[in-house]
């Protein structure tokens, strides 16, 4: 007897390849500064925290050297800081693109960070929304190394400590004045 699908049977099962589009055992091996690939929440926090710390220290050092060696007017320092922030926009955008890819969204949505009030919502989504389990249209998930987990937890703890200090210190200073 021949195959029913070969005879044109409309009730025969499809003969298509239904294998997954991505290898479910594959891992994202792209570098962190490549917009291709995905970042989980902790990777996003860790790399953003590292970028912020390195950029802040470098800006302080460069600003101190430039103002002392070249006798730059103090009014030029905000201009230098603005140019520095524009340079930092590229890696920050890459990190947001990779995080959006983990959420199975287009990387172009990072441009919403330029829209006031919407940017707050976008950052909260990037920080708290869980990524896609398994492979999605942007590839397989990226393994979060231990050092990224440690840096992310330390960054979150320092942020919380700073927030607590910002809330408590004005109250304590106000109590001392009375």
């Amino acid at each position: 007897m021949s195959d029913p699908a070969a005879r044109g049977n409309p009730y025969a099962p499809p003969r298509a390849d239904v294998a997954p589009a991505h290898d479910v055992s594959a891992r994202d091996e792209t570098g962190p500064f490549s917009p291709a690939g995905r970042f989980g929440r902790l990777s996003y926090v860790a790399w953003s925290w590292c970028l912020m710390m390195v950029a802040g220290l470098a800006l302080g050092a460069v600003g101190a050297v430039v103002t002392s060696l070249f006798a730059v007017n103090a009014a030029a320092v905000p201009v230098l800081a603005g140019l520095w922030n524009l340079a930092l926009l590229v890696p920050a955008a890459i990190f947001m693109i990779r995080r959006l890819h983990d959420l199975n969204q287009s990387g172009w949505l990072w441009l919403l960070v330029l829209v006031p009030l919407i940017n707050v919502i976008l950052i909260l989504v990037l920080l708290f929304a869980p990524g896609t389990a398994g492979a999605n249209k942007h590839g397989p998930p990226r393994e979060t190394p231990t050092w990224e987990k440690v840096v992310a937890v330390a960054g979150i703890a320092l942020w919380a400590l700073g927030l607590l200090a910002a809330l408590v210190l004005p109250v304590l200073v106000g109590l001392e004045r009375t």
Side-chain angles (χ1 to χ4, degrees), residues 32-35 39 43-52 55 84-101 107 109-114 122-123 126:
F33 293 101
S34 167
F39 260 180
S43 294
Y44 174 71
V45 169
W47 281 98
S48 298
W49 185 260
C50 287
L51 177 68
M52 185 174 57
W84 186 258
N85 285 333
L86 280 176
L88 292 176
L89 186 62
V90 172
I94 289 172
F95 299 158
M96 284 185 266
I97 290 168
R98 289 181 66 107
R99 181 68 184 118
L100 284 163
H101 285 176
L109 288 174
W110 84 268
L111 291 169
L112 291 175
V113 83
L114 303 173
L122 176 66
I123 295 299
L126 294 177

Side-chain angles (χ1 to χ4, degrees), residues 128-156:
F128 295 112
T132 306
N136 64 20
K137 67 182 178 182
H138 299 286
R142 179 179 178 272
E143 189 72 35
T144 303
T146 304
W147 76 266
E148 287 180 2
K149 293 176 184 175
V150 171
V151 168
V153 170
I156 292 167

